[in-house]
Amino acid sequence: MTSKTVLITGAGSGFGRGVALGLARAGHKVIAACHIWPQVTDLRAEAARDGLELRVIKLDVLSEIDRSHALALDFDVLFNNAGIMESGPVAELPPEIVRRIFDTNVFAALEMAQGAAKKFIRAGGGRIVWTSSVAGLVKVPWDGAYSASKYAVEGFCAALREELAPYGVQVCTVNPGAYRTGFNDTGMESQDQWWGQGERVMAHWPVRELTRQADPAEMITAMIGVITAEHPPYRTVLPKAAEDMARREQAEEWDKRL
């Protein structure tokens, strides 16, 4: 793909930040959208230190004002990456948390995708790359709300892919497994915020140190490839062990009995 302008949501940390800086280093035009103003200041400072041309804006995807501001800008690719995770067993999860996860991961992301899709249809082409998860392909006990939100993302992306293809608009997913970005660690810890606030009938799932997470550089490189390649795959699952696990578990679901 020739040089494009890429709007990245959730660019203040993790994969989004790595992809924003990586694209900028490769000479692409990037609009890095961060959740809160301190992230904007911090990312601008890092780009300046590295001599990178990077436009950094504030975008809380739950804010209609912020979404409208971002979608009014000129860009050719939307990297729909912002998301949150909060752990806990489904039977005990406070509805407030489930709604918060779906508001961010599904509804706000969908509004970003809809806005970009309309822009791209009018322009005669464009690409939406959406951060899903391995959790959108397999069961994830104690992360059921996050997993369900990513299953919803998978459903929207599959439909969008077919609906937008006649207009020259491409849709791809990237599905990370467990990487050392801090996202999974804080998602697990979040359960302790509410566990002691009510009567529980299940045992607390012990928050443990996650020692088997992969280097995020692999996934960041793959995401940049999906954003920039002329003909990227529809789905990119990494690390390879996560892809193998997802394929195996999906097959096993057909024959599972209680």
Side-chain angles (χ1 to χ4, degrees):
M1 176 183 281
T2 56
S3 180
K4 300 290 184 180
T5 301
V6 184
L7 171 62
I8 302 173
T9 71
S13 62
F15 292 128
R17 188 184 186 102
V19 170
L21 293 169
L23 285 170
R25 290 189 186 103
H28 295 278
K29 296 180 180 178
V30 180
I31 304 169
C34 300
H35 179 210
I36 55 176
W37 286 111
Q39 291 176 331
V40 172
T41 302
D42 184 59
L43 185 53
R44 284 175 179 168
E46 181 171 357
R49 287 195 301 270
D50 293 349
L52 297 175
E53 184 176 342
L54 186 66
R55 181 173 183 181
V56 187
I57 66 170
K58 188 257 189 184
L59 170 58
D60 176 351
V61 294
L62 296 178
S63 165
E64 183 178 355
I65 292 172
D66 287 4
R67 289 195 306 268
S68 296
H69 172 255
L71 289 168
L73 302 175
D74 291 327
F75 57 93
D76 312 287
V77 180
L78 169 65
F79 183 27
N80 215 9
N81 170 71
I84 62 172
M85 182 180 87
E86 296 195 40
S87 298
V90 172
E92 301 275 21
L93 269 172
E96 172 190 348
I97 286 177
V98 179
R99 291 190 188 97
R100 182 159 64 233
I101 291 170
F102 270 74
D103 280 344
T104 300
N105 295 0
V106 182
F107 301 122
L110 176 60
E111 292 199 56
M112 289 298 300
Q114 289 175 326
K118 292 178 173 66
K119 177 190 291 285
F120 296 160
I121 289 170
R122 296 187 187 102
R127 180 176 296 173
I128 300 170
V129 179
W130 202 321
T131 297
S132 179
S133 173
V134 172
L137 305 173
V138 298
K139 66 182 182 297
V140 188
W142 284 274
D143 272 320
Y146 175 73
S147 179
S149 76
K150 293 303 184 178
Y151 268 80
V153 165
E154 291 289 327
F156 279 130
C157 286
L160 277 170
R161 180 190 66 207
E162 302 300 312
E163 294 165 355
L164 298 181
Y167 300 94
V169 181
Q170 302 170 331
V171 177
C172 306
T173 71
V174 288
N175 298 65
Y179 285 94
R180 291 191 304 272
T181 63
F183 183 82
N184 301 305
D185 309 74
T186 55
M188 286 180 56
E189 185 180 348
S190 65
Q191 178 178 326
D192 286 338
Q193 295 290 99
W194 53 266
W195 187 263
Q197 296 183 21
E199 183 180 356
R200 305 295 166 203
V201 298
M202 296 182 68
H204 186 288
W205 184 41
V207 175
R208 64 190 185 281
E209 185 179 358
L210 300 178
T211 58
R212 299 178 62 184
Q213 298 184 94
D215 184 345
E218 173 190 48
M219 193 74 231
I220 290 168
T221 298
M223 289 171 164
I224 291 172
V226 171
I227 289 168
T228 60
E230 196 67 34
H231 300 288
Y234 166 65
R235 174 179 289 158
T236 299
V237 183
L238 286 172
K240 182 61 166 59
E243 178 185 350
D244 295 341
M245 178 268 291
R247 289 179 182 274
R248 182 179 65 252
E249 288 200 6
Q250 285 180 332
E252 290 172 353
E253 287 291 317
W254 288 95
D255 299 316
K256 194 172 293 293
R257 293 180 179 273
L258 304 181

